[in-house]
Amino acid sequence: MSTIKEKLPEEFKKEMKELLKDEYEDFINSYDQDRTNAIRINDLKVEKKFFEESNLFDIDYEKDGVEWADLGYYVSSDKSPGKNPLHDAGAYYIQEPSAMSVVGKTDIAEGEKILDMCAAPGGKSTYILSKLNETGILVSNEVNSTRIRALGENLERFGATNCTITNSDSKGLLTFFKGFFDKVFIDAPCSGQGMFRKYEHAIDDWSEEKVEECVSIQKELIRDGFDMLKEGGMLIYSTCTFTKRENEDIINDFINEYQNAELIEMDRIWPHKQRGEGHFSARIIKSSEEVREEEIQENSNKKSKKSKKKKKESSNSRKQDSQKLKDYESFLKDYIRDGSKRKNAISEKAVEVKGGFVYLVSKDMLDLTGLKVLRNGLLMGEIKKNRFEPSHSLAMALCIDDVKYAVNLDIEDEDVFRYIVGESISLEGKEVYKYSEPDTEDNNSRGWILVTINGVSIGWGKESNGIMKNKYPKGLRRVIRK
Ligand code: SAM
């Protein structure tokens, strides 16, 4: 059986030899080493302390931190982090360590408006959400309508609240978001040379033609992304490939063409120098907005007409919605704790009702009518006949302190597996919390209960006569038993 090193394409080796010179031997020998794996803690749902105390995956917190990612830790692949139920609960995200550098090395301030243009499956988006800390706006876009499913699931599992998921190409986004964002991330489709050690099929998929094809897409994406930045905003371009043609050359050609593009830095992570599979990133500032005066005038007229129309329409629909929202409001009153972090966040957002579904949307979000939107903000739930059914997304964004009732399962408890395969669970003899304190009342029909594993929310259950019906979504249930 041939080794990865032996399978590497000749054209690739030749180009790397020219690029790396004396370092080439070290680079090529890195293919004899094991690939690197890492997780990133989701600090929106758990504290770092939780990981240190539980010592999940035998991480040495002194030694195993990913240098460029404050929440990233190397894990050995035999620990199978993807199989642990805390992964289903969104306590961490599994991400290739060098890919963490793109967001890890970017300063993100709370309140920023950010676009992640090529977002699936969500590695960069989830990290951006951590840095935004439930403020600002993230538009997480994916052009591929199959890959967008995984993006939706990963963002939901992460407990995303301030995120809009769109399914568009860059031109489609540009018609809505010209000059809107503080930051635009373009994790561009690339020829994937940095994946050779991770997936051998990436070697078979690679070709010179693929490089050329990617270069032409990358050139288009970077221009459109730049146009969506505000003046002073930053574009972050990245790939997981090594060739200069998809990295430095793209950036240099771009800054030569755009007078208002100021290159801040280009950064490489190499597998023979650092613990990672390799990544390229560049940061560019838009120093000024080169928009013609008449274009600004035209845009602002269009916007104000649109917003007047939107205001009129929204005041009409608000009247109809307020009737429909009665059951939603009773749910909030009955099950979400006043003064909790989530309840306060709810009051800062706009409520939108679409096709019977209730969403919480940032008040700064634009009218996206005409854009393919998978989810705009946090899906709170569905208005059904005479009742409101809270969504799984809401459960994932809640913690014990936010809700009236919660049941906390220990990771070793057999009921964890019962829950993630979709079985009902008897609550007899189980501690149920009421407003974070043990519930001492004689009540075995409490209704909606947040289910948590070691304190991390994983979904809803609904209790009636001491039995908690399982509300974990069918599509997410595991089919295997322990
Ligand atoms: N940022 C993702 C993450 O961290 O998990 C990985 C993104 S992957 C490197 C590149 C993505 O670009 C793919 O999901 C692919 O479907 C998308 N893509 C491909 N062609 C595109 C195009 N013409 N415009 C925008 N995105 C494209």
Side-chain angles (χ1 to χ4, degrees):
M1 213 176 73
S2 53
T3 64
I4 298 180
K5 217 156 88 177
E6 286 160 356
K7 282 186 81 184
L8 294 173
E10 285 308 318
E11 303 97 311
F12 166 69
K13 288 198 275 190
K14 186 166 171 275
E15 195 179 356
M16 289 302 106
K17 207 175 230 168
E18 278 164 20
L19 181 66
L20 289 165
K21 300 187 175 66
D22 295 351
E23 290 179 28
Y24 176 73
E25 280 307 311
D26 289 346
F27 171 73
I28 220 71
N29 288 334
S30 71
Y31 286 94
D32 291 333
Q33 285 154 22
D34 288 341
R35 68 179 172 97
T36 48
N37 302 285
I39 60 160
R40 220 183 54 248
I41 296 172
N42 178 3
D43 61 345
L44 299 174
K45 294 195 72 161
V46 293
E47 288 178 35
K48 196 176 143 194
K49 200 169 74 199
F50 165 90
F51 276 82
E52 288 169 343
E53 283 168 6
S54 59
N55 200 14
L56 216 57
F57 316 128
D58 291 334
I59 293 169
D60 179 339
Y61 289 90
E62 294 289 306
K63 255 182 44 222
D64 292 334
V66 177
E67 188 191 319
W68 44 82
D70 45 356
L71 298 165
Y73 292 92
Y74 293 96
V75 284
S76 135
S77 61
D78 58 15
K79 298 287 171 218
S80 308
K83 290 192 181 149
N84 192 301
L86 281 166
H87 180 253
D88 304 51
Y92 52 88
Y93 188 91
I94 302 168
Q95 189 178 25
E96 192 283 302
S98 48
M100 293 181 189
S101 65
V102 179
V103 181
K105 291 186 179 186
T106 306
D107 285 332
I108 291 178
E110 292 194 3
E112 283 187 341
K113 298 187 180 84
I114 299 182
L115 169 66
D116 185 6
M117 196 198 271
C118 311
K124 314 286 183 306
S125 278
T126 49
Y127 201 174
I128 295 167
L129 287 174
S130 276
K131 288 205 169 187
L132 282 175
N133 191 21
E134 300 205 36
T135 67
I137 291 178
L138 170 67
V139 175
S140 189
N141 178 70
E142 172 56 45
V143 70
N144 182 312
S145 44
T146 311
R147 286 174 62 90
I148 204 167
R149 273 187 61 130
L151 176 67
E153 281 177 18
N154 285 334
L155 289 170
E156 180 175 72
R157 186 182 302 130
F158 213 72
T161 57
N162 50 334
C163 182
T164 294
I165 308 174
T166 57
N167 181 200
S168 171
D169 60 15
S170 56
K171 293 275 176 286
L173 292 172
L174 188 55
T175 57
F176 286 83
F177 293 112
K178 196 168 195 311
F180 182 73
F181 293 107
D182 297 290
K183 294 212 163 70
V184 171
F185 284 82
I186 302 176
D187 194 28
C190 67
S191 67
Q193 295 162 339
M195 292 288 115
F196 287 174
R197 194 165 64 169
K198 194 170 170 192
Y199 305 116
E200 275 193 55
H201 66 76
I203 302 179
D204 305 326
D205 285 352
W206 186 87
S207 66
E208 279 295 328
E209 292 70 44
K210 188 164 180 190
V211 174
E212 293 313 318
E213 209 179 289
C214 290
V215 164
S216 124
I217 297 172
Q218 289 155 354
K219 286 191 168 169
E220 185 178 338
L221 298 185
I222 195 169
R223 288 195 189 109
D224 293 341
F226 195 71
D227 284 348
M228 285 186 259
L229 280 176
K230 291 176 180 165
E231 188 176 317
M234 183 188 275
L235 184 134
I236 303 95
Y237 173 88
S238 57
T239 74
C240 64
T241 208
F242 298 123
T243 172
K244 263 178 80 216
R245 289 175 285 165
E246 296 180 62
N247 295 323
E248 285 87 349
D249 292 356
I250 293 283
I251 300 300
N252 288 328
D253 286 354
F254 179 74
I255 54 168
N256 288 335
E257 190 185 332
Y258 280 68
Q259 298 297 304
N260 59 341
E262 187 192 328
L263 179 64
I264 301 299
E265 62 176 341
M266 290 201 256
D267 181 54
R268 286 258 195 182
I269 291 184
W270 287 102
H272 61 290
K273 290 185 171 173
Q274 286 116 328
R275 282 174 80 187
E277 300 308 292
H279 228 78
F280 171 86
S281 62
R283 289 166 186 79
I284 295 170
I285 297 277
K286 187 182 208 169
S287 55
S288 62
E289 184 59 272
E290 286 183 348
V291 182
R292 288 172 297 117
E293 221 18 71
E294 58 275 29
E295 199 177 324
I296 297 174
Q297 201 54 47
E298 225 175 80
N299 276 346
S300 81
N301 285 345
K302 261 196 238 159
K303 266 194 194 144
S304 77
K305 270 192 205 151
K306 222 174 171 184
S307 86
K308 270 186 201 148
K309 190 167 167 240
K310 196 183 167 195
K311 270 193 190 133
K312 195 164 169 225
E313 280 170 3
S314 75
S315 103
N316 289 342
S317 67
R318 227 178 284 133
K319 276 186 209 137
Q320 294 170 12
D321 290 345
S322 69
Q323 195 54 30
K324 290 195 210 151
L325 284 170
K326 263 188 14 226
D327 295 324
Y328 161 71
E329 272 148 14
S330 324
F331 170 84
L332 290 186
K333 195 163 151 278
D334 293 345
Y335 291 102
I336 310 294
R337 184 182 194 167
D338 275 337
S340 67
K341 188 174 164 202
R342 182 63 46 229
K343 192 87 169 227
N344 292 341
I346 287 171
S347 63
E348 285 162 17
K349 302 250 163 102
V351 179
E352 264 188 29
V353 184
K354 272 210 170 115
F357 291 94
V358 181
Y359 294 87
L360 279 191
V361 188
S362 163
K363 288 179 178 154
D364 294 330
M365 185 39 104
L366 303 176
D367 177 7
L368 300 181
T369 313
L371 187 66
K372 214 165 152 195
V373 177
L374 190 79
R375 191 162 283 191
N376 192 11
L378 175 62
L379 171 64
M380 296 292 282
E382 190 177 359
I383 300 168
K384 299 213 164 163
K385 215 170 168 213
N386 301 326
R387 69 193 159 89
F388 174 77
E389 186 118 357
S391 73
H392 181 62
S393 316
L394 174 61
M396 297 308 277
L398 292 168
C399 67
I400 287 183
D401 293 345
D402 293 321
V403 291
K404 185 167 183 183
Y405 296 118
V407 62
N408 185 33
L409 306 174
D410 186 275
I411 187 86
E412 300 296 336
D413 188 332
E414 277 284 314
D415 282 340
V416 168
F417 275 85
R418 286 202 185 97
Y419 185 73
I420 59 180
V421 299
E423 291 177 12
S424 295
I425 292 172
S426 164
L427 293 184
E428 214 182 298
K430 277 219 153 21
E431 188 103 271
V432 176
Y433 291 90
K434 184 175 179 185
Y435 298 128
S436 331
E437 298 291 335
D439 185 10
T440 51
E441 274 171 39
D442 188 15
N443 181 1
N444 66 0
S445 293
R446 299 172 181 91
W448 293 100
I449 296 185
L450 185 71
V451 182
T452 63
I453 301 175
N454 285 25
V456 190
S457 63
I458 181 147
W460 291 111
K462 199 171 182 191
E463 189 198 31
S464 173
N465 296 321
I467 301 295
M468 186 174 71
K469 263 180 78 178
N470 196 314
K471 295 286 179 179
Y472 195 53
K474 290 200 169 65
L476 300 179
R477 290 177 188 176
R478 300 246 197 133
V479 282
I480 30 158
R481 295 295 308 271
K482 201 161 81 161

